[in-house]
Every structure is written in C-alpha cells, then in structure tokens.
Amino acid sequence: TGGLGDVVGSLPSALASRGHRVMVVVPRYINSVTDALYDDAQETDCKVSIDMGYVCGRHEVGYFHLRKDNVDWVFVDHPVFQRTGSPYGDEAGAFGDNQFRFTLLSLAGCEAPLNLELQGSVYGEKCVFVANDWHAGMVPVYLAAKYRPYGVYRDARSILCIHNLSHQGVEPAMTYGNFGLPGEWYGALEWVFPEWARAHELDKGEAVNILKGATVTADRLMTVSQGYAWEITTPEGGWGLDHLLRSRQHVLNGVTNGVDYTEWDPETDKLIEKTFSFTDLSGKASCKEALQKQLGLPCRPNAPLICFIGRLDHQKGPDLVRDSLAEMVGMDAQIIMLGSGDLEIERWMRWAETAYPDSFRGWVGFSVPTAHQLIAGADILLMPSRFEPCGLNQLYAMRYGTVPVAHSTGGLRDTIDDFNPFAKGKLGTGTGWTFSPAEKWAMLGALEIAVDTYRHHKESWAGIQQRGMTQDFTWGHSAEQYEQIFEWALMDPPYA
C-alpha cells in the first residue's frame, strides 16, 4: 500500500528492462474486494512445507504466478492472507497474528528461488534479496540463521530497504518462539523499551523487533531518499534504532523513488479535464475550472488553489492545515483536502466546509481519479509532513505544473529546489518552497511568499512550473542506483 506499493509496482519492471531477472514475492490477499486483481495469476504446482519451529509448527504454502513486463510476480497462498479488511487489519485494528503472517511471507520468499520453476528453471541460490520494511524483515535474519549455516544461499545477499522506520514489527519477547529460530539468535531481535515507554512499573519492556533484526543481519541498508538515510541516524529520526544505524552508516544508502510517467503524465492523462505540457500550460486552467465546478467552489481563476493530499495522521501534518485555515482563507485562497484517517480531523473537515463554503472543500476518503484531478487543477500542493521518507505527491505535482510548498525533511528536501529569483541573472532557479520547522508560522510564511509570487510575479511562477515539469524522476534513473548497491553488496562477503 502507499509508497511501498508504488515502488513494488514500478521498480521491478525498470530493473527487468535493464536485463535483470526479477521476481516479486507478495501475499495473495483474498478479501472479497480486491480478489479480481489476481484473476490472471495461475496457480503453480509448487507447494512448500515451511518449518516455523516448535511453537507454530509446519505450514504448507502455495504459489500463484503471473508473468508481466518481464517480471515474475509471485503470490504466496495461505489461509492467513484470506480475510476481509486491509493487508494489515480491519475496523477493529491491526490483526493479532501479523507477526506470524509476515514471518510466513519471509520464509516463503526465501523458498521461492529454490523451489519455484519459472521459464524452465529456478532462480537458484545466487540472488539478491531486497526486503522491504519490517514485513519482509525476517528474510535477512533467516538467510543468516537458517540457510547459510547449512551451505545454502552463501552466494546470496540481502538488502533491507526502509520505507518508514516508525513501523518496526515489535511484539512481546514471549513471541520469539514463533520465529522458529535457535535460542542463540534471540539477541539479534531483542528489544528493550525505555522506561518512559513502558506500561507500568513492573513492565520490563522486553520485546522482539523484526526491523532491528533485519538491521543487524542484512548485508546492506538503504532508504528511499538520501535525506531520510541521514535522518534515521539521528536521535530525532531514528525511532530508537539510530545507534545501530549509525554503526552501519558505511553500508547505508538512499535512493529517491521514481515516478511512473506512463500513469502520471499531463500530456496523456485521461483522468483530467484537458491535457497540457510544459510548453503549453493552457490546459491546466481548464483543469482548475473543472475541479472548482466539481467541488462546488466559485470559479475564480485568480484565486490560488491550494491542495493537501495524504493520510490524516500526525506524520502528514493535517493539523497544521487545520490550525492555519483561517489565515489561508485570509490570503483569498481556496483550499482542498483529500484524505482519511484521524476521525477528529475528518469531523473538522466537514465543519470547515460549512464555515468557509466559498473557500474550503474536504474529501474524506481516497480516490485515484480525484487525486489526478487535484494534482492537475491545483496551483499549490501543500505537504507539511513532519517526516517524509521520500514522498511521491510532490513529484507528481511538479510533473503537472503544481508548485510544492513542503516541510524541509527527508525526500521533500531532496527533491524540491527552493525558488531563488535572483539566480542565473535574475532568470531564477528552483521548483518550489520548503520551510522548517514543521510549525504553523513557518508554513504560513512559505505560503505567503508562494501566493505573492503566484499573484504578482507571473513570469517567475511560470518558470517554477516549467522547471518542475522537466525534472527527471523516472524509475530508470532510480534503477541505475539500485544496480550500484547490488554490486556493492555482492563485492563483500555476507555480513551475518
């Protein structure tokens, strides 16, 4: 889901186009909503009995296979992936057996290259595993603890890709037996919460942490931007793992995610009112007018249209938008928010529509067509994220001539070049504005400058749009950097 889904959906094809043999292993989620997505996948004859130790016993998994874009898409079939809700939970909260579900996925991923015959042969032992986040974090642990000691996968390497360090797969220490690992490997996953995070005075804070285990066993580490690679080594951004990540900083890299320009291209996008390009932006005005009509806002071409798209949670900063709405309305701007999550913010969005009927619209939920229409029709994309490993919306926005105003963090800082009107003989440089810290006053200061530029410096604004639209954030560029990390991983002996 989210940015991880975008990466898994696009990076493999980019690597395959460069001559690599690529397999993607994901669960076959059957939930009565997205079942049709697997219609083209064929069940294979391969069944693998996976030993998960004395606590969880043996479990048989099957594999479904789809060959698309020269990539082998492999879907792991097991009853734990067949239930209603999202991949991680339902309306009652996170599934209680998520540790088991994703441990099983990790083991099934380790077995697939050895057992699954595709295009006449198995992948074999000499391969590079890219384990994404804690959900696949047991892959490097199992390679080190269950395979290499027995002569298997000694030529394989593992790379842990961290998309969001705040999610680490932490469960009580008593669940260690669920992993089916020898007792001597407990230290790799051992985690002790600081005293302030414990439930009561008798709580020892003892736990197991899958992402920590992956951090200390993977051959290399990477994140989805260079800025985030640095941030996670700091106490402020390390979520308790900063000391371990600093100790492995010499094998930690950041690669910015790419954009699938076959889906996000204003010249060919069928979801927007009118297509346009960086040489002819006239269609963008039509998209803005259509968006205003669709949402019942007054059609005011000179009013800057500011949009927010994202989860309504603390990370994404919707509370900063809420607290600043009166000031933004005072700038004679129109504001649109699209997202779901925090129920208090959702209720506030509904209230704000009635309080500011000519200036604010809130869309609770998420819609891909609406996201395209917002990106195409808005003048400014507001991203007040408190932390953002990479961020994709700012990349989409720049492609569509929508100028980002974002908190200077992680991938946002890496991808947005602050506007400088005096550079290059006053021709100007930059693709947007960033602000810091993630506070109301800083965000409003950046917005005021952006709105003033939009209203009173039309040529400068057009230059910002055109520079953003010609940025190269293709997956081909990202794939080159992944290749370099693969080469470095294969140069060194296994880390664990």
Side-chain angles (χ1 to χ4, degrees):
T1 61
L4 175 56
D6 289 335
V7 173
V8 174
S10 301
L11 176 63
S13 300
L15 290 170
S17 70
R18 299 177 64 83
H20 301 281
R21 191 180 186 192
V22 184
M23 178 194 296
V24 179
V25 181
V26 293
R28 183 173 177 264
Y29 293 115
I30 300 298
N31 55 18
S32 75
V33 177
T34 59
D35 299 4
L37 295 175
Y38 306 101
D39 285 349
D40 294 332
Q42 301 298 314
E43 186 173 6
T44 69
D45 296 331
C46 182
K47 305 285 184 183
V48 176
S49 179
I50 292 178
D51 183 6
M52 299 189 67
Y54 64 92
V55 175
C56 295
R58 284 192 169 273
H59 291 265
E60 184 179 85
V61 298
Y63 298 94
F64 282 68
H65 173 249
L66 172 65
R67 181 76 173 176
K68 182 180 179 182
D69 297 331
N70 294 318
V71 175
D72 292 309
W73 302 87
V74 174
F75 305 100
V76 177
D77 188 44
H78 188 273
V80 294
F81 302 124
Q82 301 171 9
R83 59 182 66 159
T84 58
S86 76
Y88 312 125
D90 55 21
E91 64 277 359
F95 294 132
D97 61 347
N98 274 343
Q99 183 194 70
F100 169 78
R101 297 168 74 228
F102 292 107
T103 296
L104 182 67
L105 173 67
S106 296
L107 278 168
C110 290
E111 291 292 326
L114 301 175
N115 294 282
L116 196 56
E117 187 173 315
L118 303 172
Q119 284 77 55
S121 65
V122 297
Y123 273 61
E125 296 182 32
K126 189 171 184 179
C127 54
V128 176
F129 289 90
V130 179
N132 291 287
D133 275 344
W134 77 265
H135 314 91
M138 289 303 296
V139 169
V141 179
Y142 284 133
L143 291 180
K146 294 193 73 168
Y147 290 91
R148 286 177 183 149
Y150 302 99
V152 182
Y153 281 137
R154 288 185 176 175
D155 292 328
R157 298 292 182 269
S158 62
I159 298 169
L160 171 65
C161 187
I162 300 171
H163 297 260
N164 191 333
L165 191 63
S166 66
H167 304 291
Q168 300 181 6
V170 180
E171 296 287 349
M174 67 180 67
T175 64
Y176 177 76
N178 297 348
F179 297 121
L181 290 169
E184 58 266 26
W185 280 89
Y186 177 76
L189 292 122
E190 182 181 18
W191 182 252
V192 180
F193 282 102
E195 290 187 11
W196 62 264
R198 300 177 190 177
H200 49 76
E201 291 187 0
L202 298 179
D203 182 4
K204 297 181 180 179
E206 297 175 348
V208 287
N209 184 323
I210 291 178
L211 198 65
K212 184 249 184 175
T215 300
V216 300
T217 54
D219 297 299
R220 291 195 73 90
L221 312 174
M222 63 178 295
T223 68
V224 290
S225 71
Q226 293 182 10
Y228 194 57
W230 170 77
E231 285 180 10
I232 63 176
T233 64
T234 67
E236 295 80 5
W239 293 89
L241 289 176
D242 52 286
H243 60 296
L244 283 174
L245 291 163
R246 282 195 300 274
S247 73
R248 303 210 63 199
Q249 201 163 7
H250 60 291
V251 293
L252 172 61
N253 301 98
V255 176
T256 301
N257 288 339
V259 174
D260 183 357
Y261 287 144
T262 62
E263 180 181 357
W264 291 93
D265 185 352
E267 296 188 46
T268 59
D269 195 334
K270 296 180 179 178
L271 297 175
I272 63 178
E273 178 70 15
K274 189 174 181 180
T275 58
F276 55 93
S277 69
F278 77 95
T279 59
D280 180 9
L281 282 162
S282 60
K284 187 169 177 65
S286 300
C287 292
K288 179 177 180 177
E289 182 181 359
L291 181 62
Q292 290 170 323
K293 288 180 178 178
Q294 178 186 351
L295 298 180
L297 287 169
C299 293
R300 299 175 55 209
N302 294 323
L305 184 57
I306 302 169
C307 77
F308 169 97
I309 303 173
R311 292 192 313 276
L312 304 180
D313 62 15
H314 182 73
Q315 176 194 341
K316 300 296 184 180
D319 55 304
L320 295 179
V321 182
R322 176 195 63 195
D323 297 344
S324 306
L325 182 61
E327 288 84 351
M328 287 191 281
V329 171
M331 298 177 195
D332 198 24
Q334 294 178 331
I335 303 95
I336 301 173
M337 293 182 68
L338 171 67
S340 62
D342 188 303
L343 295 179
E344 181 183 341
I345 297 290
E346 290 183 3
R347 286 193 292 268
W348 168 81
M349 287 166 60
R350 295 185 178 98
W351 169 85
E353 281 195 344
T354 62
Y356 303 99
D358 293 336
S359 303
F360 180 85
R361 289 293 181 272
W363 184 302
V364 176
F366 185 76
S367 161
V368 171
T370 303
H372 278 251
Q373 291 153 14
L374 270 176
I375 291 287
D379 298 302
I380 296 171
L381 175 73
L382 184 58
M383 294 188 69
S385 303
R386 290 180 167 86
F387 68 94
E388 193 65 70
C390 178
L392 289 171
N393 284 337
Q394 82 278 13
L395 306 183
Y396 302 150
M398 287 189 281
R399 185 68 168 178
Y400 282 68
T402 300
V403 177
V405 175
H407 178 219
S408 182
T409 183
L412 301 179
R413 183 174 57 242
D414 287 357
T415 55
I416 300 171
D417 183 18
D418 281 305
F419 175 56
N420 181 354
F422 305 108
K424 291 189 177 180
K426 296 189 178 180
L427 292 174
T429 60
T431 57
W433 285 269
T434 61
F435 60 88
S436 185
E439 300 285 351
K440 171 183 173 179
W441 61 267
M443 185 183 80
L444 285 173
L447 270 176
E448 286 175 358
I449 297 172
V451 168
D452 182 74
T453 305
Y454 171 83
R455 281 208 172 99
H456 304 299
H457 304 277
K458 296 294 186 181
E459 289 187 11
S460 293
W461 188 264
I464 296 170
Q465 289 178 299
Q466 290 168 352
R467 284 188 293 273
M469 295 179 77
T470 54
Q471 297 289 300
D472 179 15
F473 293 110
T474 58
W475 273 110
H477 181 63
S478 300
E480 288 182 33
Q481 299 175 69
Y482 270 84
E483 286 177 331
Q484 180 63 75
I485 295 172
F486 296 161
E487 290 180 17
W488 289 334
L490 292 168
M491 284 181 185
D492 298 325
Y495 180 72

